[in-house]
Amino acid sequence: MPITTHRSVCPYDCPDTCGLLVDVENGRAVKVSGDPDHPYTRGLLCGKMQHYEKTVHSERRLLTPLLRSGAKGSGEFVPISWDEAVKRITDKWKEIIASFGAEAILPYSYAGTMGVVQRNSGHPFFHRLGASRLDRTICSPAKGAGWKAVMGDTPTVDPDEVLESDLIILWGINAAATSIHFMQRVNEAKKRGAKVWLIDTYRTPTAAVADRVFLIRPGSDGALALALMNYLSRNGLVDSDYISEKVLGFDQFNSEILPQWTTQAASGITGIAAEDIESMARSYAAAKAPFIRLGSGLSRYGNGAMTVRTIACLPALVGAYGKLGAGCFPDTSTGTAFAMGRVTREDLMPAPTRIINMNRLGEALNRLDSPPVKSLYVYHSNPAAITPDQNSVIAGLLRDDLFTVVHERFMTDTAKYADLVLPATSSLEHSDIYRAYGTYCIQRVKGIIPPIGQSRPNKEVFSLLAEAMGFEEDIFRQSCDGFIDQLLLVPSPLREGTDSTRLEENRAVRLQVNTGLGSFLTPSGRIEILNSAEKEPLPRFLPTHEESSDLPLCLMTAPSLHSLNASFYERDDLRAKQEKMYLLMNPYDAADRNLVDGEMVTAWNSLGEVPFFLKVSEGVQRGVAVAEGVWWLEFAPGERSVNALVSQRLTDQGGGSTFYDNRIDVRKR
Ligand SMILES: Nc1nc2c(c(=O)[nH]1)N[C@H]1C(S)=C(S)[C@@H](COP(=O)(O)OP(=O)(O)OC[C@H]3O[C@@H](n4cnc5c(=O)[nH]c(N)nc54)[C@H](O)[C@@H]3O)O[C@H]1N2
Ligand SMILES: Nc1nc2c(c(=O)[nH]1)N[C@H]1C(S)=C(S)[C@@H](COP(=O)(O)OP(=O)(O)OC[C@H]3O[C@@H](n4cnc5c(=O)[nH]c(N)nc54)[C@H](O)[C@@H]3O)O[C@H]1N2
Ligand code: SF4
Ligand SMILES: [Mo]
């Protein structure tokens, strides 16, 4: 059989949404490389995706529906047919609805695939069913809320603008792992003379590109931003003309909030020396085009939205939002590229149903009544691994009276607790259309190999379930491609003028985003340092949740270079690169506890205990411990992984997760 090459896209929850070229031979993907024709990613793939064919054709792929035959969590199943699986699910749901109402059914999904159609295809079904709704806030809603409080709906600039910057601040982002194409631009800007700073809680791999690395106390970035702004203001380094024309509320902020934020005061909280904060402020003011690339790490705290809001004010003081290659870039704004209402179909809900925050799944499964959750349907997510408070989630999944269905590519930690497992296709086996959050591109792709085993795409499974439930709406009968054709008929200003031929050729297409310098989509038309619609009209410093904890170490639940949340652990090659499930600690913190590099230790707090291998590292500041990656329990050294140490508490706004706002102590195993 000849080898044919097809265009596809990386389906994972990564800002860049790379274009792929996939060689197919005899119905199998045999080689995956980057598509040089992609306007942003231009052929460069990360290490995780260079052998995506090993994931797609992994021996671990689920091939048939499976019915539990052993105790919950034992992983013992027997194969059954799709017909039987669908009948069992819908019979059980009809029974639950008759006794408890449809709100006793809870969908749980997040970002196993970022394709607009497959990702959201459960929404119309569960809306029509009248099930409880899931508030999908695990990632970065606090970042969104903080940004919006200052900038409203102003679109962020194109990431390529960073090439014009002379000072790039990577703030709370491990771009070497999570934004490799942005890093390419950063390296290019460095060659043109730009300086690069990193502000993080430990020396991540991204530190290698930075001219200056500032290690900050977790959750204290708001204090740093306030002190920088105070210094700029007291030393005549602000752009007064720009402020009077474009900024709302600076005078009040400057008199009521800033004065207490001396560099000494901020130094006490952030751990960064006062002289360093002063030199940062001077360099920031002197830069022609200072560009802040804001990650999500600093937003996953009890004060996360306020931190982002405070940082978003900083560029306004020096007029950076008015300059090419300057300002602040949290994520791109492509939410309106498609008519999402047609995809999610809230109109199908019989009446508004209750909303359950996905970060509090543990609480929902264990404590909720009126009605209790009697059935959980998980698709493209792995909550037993990735959700806060793993002990509580697993206790819920162990409930005998909970009917759990998991639609998955692999036997994940969550699937092991299911009553019924359904096999899912990978992105090479189904059609979809993608937008991105780190670039302004969209791409439409087709399935290019047949489904592995009896696996089916999300959309198709919801059509089967809808049919068995007797739902007759057209959306449940449409093919994925038919649905995408219709969706593309609905115009969007972002897609105006885009090349539809390229789109049909499965090539990535750049959206037309007007990131016009100097106009702001806020109620006042200005940058709103003062926002009277907010509970706190002015930004100020808020403490984290763990401020008053007596445990000594702040736990960083950071991304790994070789995995993506709990994805890619099916791959022996990539797991080998992570070596072991490590906890990184400063040499002094280790010595204080008589711990030595390489030994097994137990990290603990009031929520749980997790065994790790200790890695002593000078790159971690005292008082901080780092656990990279979200390991599957199958490969963890003990019974639990990192999220057993993470609480279900939420961010100050947006209902977000607080993955980084947790303290622990560590003892010998
Ligand atoms: N390789 C890889 N790529 C990924 C992912 C992955 O797991 N692995 N995950 C994907 C997903 S879902 C997302 S949302 C993005 C996330 O991409 P990022 O924004 O890069 O990652 P975050 O986990 O949000 O955290 C980034 C950094 O914030 C730091 N940090 C934590 N607390 C603080 C703080 O208080 N102040 C400061 N200044 N820094 C702090 C952490 O140490 C971490 O290095 O990446 C995506 N891409
Ligand atoms: N400790 C810690 N915890 C974290 C994070 C962290 O950095 N540290 N990151 C957090 C963040 S930012 C996020 S966004 C969440 C992400 O949490 P999740 O969205 O749950 O991400 P994954 O762990 O990648 O799990 C996705 C699952 O979807 C499956 N899948 C892939 N494609 C399909 C498909 O088409 N159909 C179906 N049915 N299944 C499919 C995959 O096999 C995989 O098991 O994790 C959060 N949890
Ligand atoms: S995970 Fe990110 S960098 Fe890697 S291939 Fe996918 S989109 Fe590209
Ligand atoms: Mo995320």
Side-chain angles (χ1 to χ4, degrees), residues 322-382:
K323 293 180 192 156
L324 188 70
C328 178
F329 178 92
D331 297 301
T332 52
S333 337
T334 57
T336 56
F338 305 109
M340 290 308 290
R342 310 254 180 146
V343 181
T344 59
R345 294 298 301 270
E346 288 194 10
D347 58 296
L348 293 179
M349 247 187 308
T353 54
R354 74 175 167 190
I355 298 177
I356 293 174
N357 187 303
M358 71 185 297
N359 299 304
R360 309 191 67 120
L361 177 66
E363 182 189 61
L365 293 182
N366 292 296
R367 289 217 289 279
L368 206 66
D369 45 22
S370 66
V373 177
K374 299 295 286 183
S375 179
L376 181 71
Y377 184 95
V378 180
Y379 54 117
H380 72 100
S381 182
N382 185 1

Side-chain angles (χ1 to χ4, degrees), residues 65 134 188 241 333 497:
L134 188 73
E188 179 61 34
D241 292 343
S333 337

Side-chain angles (χ1 to χ4, degrees), residues 531-550:
N531 183 338
S532 32
E534 290 286 312
K535 199 169 81 206
E536 306 258 1
L538 288 171
R540 67 182 181 96
F541 184 72
L542 297 181
T544 61
H545 285 311
E546 288 287 87
E547 178 82 359
S548 52
S549 160
D550 3 305

Side-chain angles (χ1 to χ4, degrees), residues 411-433:
M411 187 53 74
T412 58
D413 292 343
T414 313
K416 286 187 179 150
Y417 288 91
D419 295 282
L420 251 163
V421 181
L422 306 172
T425 41
S426 79
S427 63
L428 299 190
E429 298 149 55
H430 56 235
S431 299
D432 215 326
I433 188 157

Side-chain angles (χ1 to χ4, degrees), residues 547-609:
E547 178 82 359
S548 52
S549 160
D550 3 305
L551 291 178
L553 301 170
C554 299
L555 175 65
M556 301 293 102
T557 54
S560 158
L561 273 171
H562 310 293
S563 57
L564 193 141
N565 305 318
S567 285
F568 294 106
Y569 284 88
E570 72 279 0
R571 291 267 299 278
D572 298 341
D573 55 336
L574 292 173
R575 249 183 10 259
K577 290 190 176 162
Q578 285 198 56
E579 298 173 7
K580 287 177 176 171
M581 189 171 121
Y582 286 122
L583 187 73
L584 278 57
M585 261 171 96
N586 178 278
Y588 288 100
D589 284 331
D592 284 350
R593 293 165 179 78
N594 283 320
L595 303 173
V596 293
D597 190 64
E599 77 174 312
M600 282 253 285
V601 296
T602 300
W604 60 273
N605 62 20
S606 63
L607 298 166
E609 299 201 344

Side-chain angles (χ1 to χ4, degrees), residues 648-661:
Q648 298 183 49
R649 287 175 309 212
L650 302 177
T651 49
D652 47 342
Q653 284 199 54
S657 58
T658 53
F659 280 109
Y660 287 104
D661 198 351

